[in-house]
Amino acid sequence: MKKILIIEDEESIADLEKDYLELSGFQVEIANDGEKGLELALEGEYDLFILDLMLPGVDGFEICREIRAVKNTPVIMVSAKKEDIDKIRGLGLGADDYITKPFSPSEMVARVKAHLSRYDRLINSGGPVNDVIQIRGLKIDKTARRVWVNGEEKGFTTKEFDLLAFLAQNPNRVFTKEELFNKIWAMDSMGQIATVTVHIKKLREKIEYDTTRPQYIETIWGVGYRFKV
Ligand code: CA
């Protein structure tokens, strides 16, 4: 049986939510203040949280932040004010859904079911794993399009990133400038072959310790480039 924690200081609302959820077959616990809610949320085993924003003690912002630091359990945030909902969306605290009071209990139950089944699918598929290439001190997250060099994140333009990711996922293969140009810039009529050289130089400045003796992107004289593994 799925277990839900309601963190809500207005007892009549909490009881109403609990009744509807229990009728739908869920096991439900209620915490009526922020401290108790946070403690239960962090220590207990729950499948979903319904979290009120304005709470005595620790507020919903803080509770959501602390839950997200350690758990991916779905969080549905509830607030009496539409403006607060906009604010928490903007903060990117990682809540999965937002409901404005007053809401219909059956709508809330429908959302709870939707989030639980979505979360089950994620868990059963092993979670949303990013496509990451890790080669020595270089880490390329292709899903998030982010790059770290020796633990430090570096910024890349779109084409720089595309070129780096393409080379890194085809290691130890030599590509001519023409091949790289066709691969990365093919749709971009503004480009010229020389742009490959310029981008390789920029990539090296960002990822190589010593650009005169590159450890990642090697120049194969008279042919092109190769990503060394
Ligand atoms: Ca409240």
Side-chain angles (χ1 to χ4, degrees), residues 8-15 30 32 52 54-56 80 101:
E8 169 66 71
D9 58 317
E10 285 172 72
E11 288 183 26
S12 58
I13 292 181
D15 289 343
I30 295 174
N32 286 125
D52 185 34
M54 301 309 289
L55 293 162
K101 289 181 199 171

Side-chain angles (χ1 to χ4, degrees), residues 36-113:
K36 184 72 189 159
L38 181 57
E39 187 189 322
L40 285 173
L42 295 181
E43 288 171 11
E45 290 291 327
Y46 298 96
D47 298 292
L48 185 140
F49 300 105
I50 296 175
L51 176 58
D52 185 34
L53 184 62
M54 301 309 289
L55 293 162
V58 188
D59 68 17
F61 289 103
E62 183 58 27
I63 294 174
C64 187
R65 193 179 293 124
E66 296 216 20
I67 289 173
R68 272 294 164 270
V70 290
K71 298 180 186 207
N72 292 320
T73 314
V75 175
I76 298 179
M77 292 205 79
V78 178
S79 172
K81 289 192 204 152
K82 174 79 172 59
E83 310 88 81
D84 288 340
I85 299 281
D86 294 338
K87 192 173 157 198
I88 41 184
R89 272 184 207 279
L91 284 174
L93 292 179
D96 297 271
D97 205 351
Y98 308 88
I99 301 181
T100 315
K101 289 181 199 171
F103 49 82
S104 90
S106 53
E107 189 203 337
M108 189 206 57
V109 170
R111 294 213 201 174
V112 165
K113 286 180 177 169

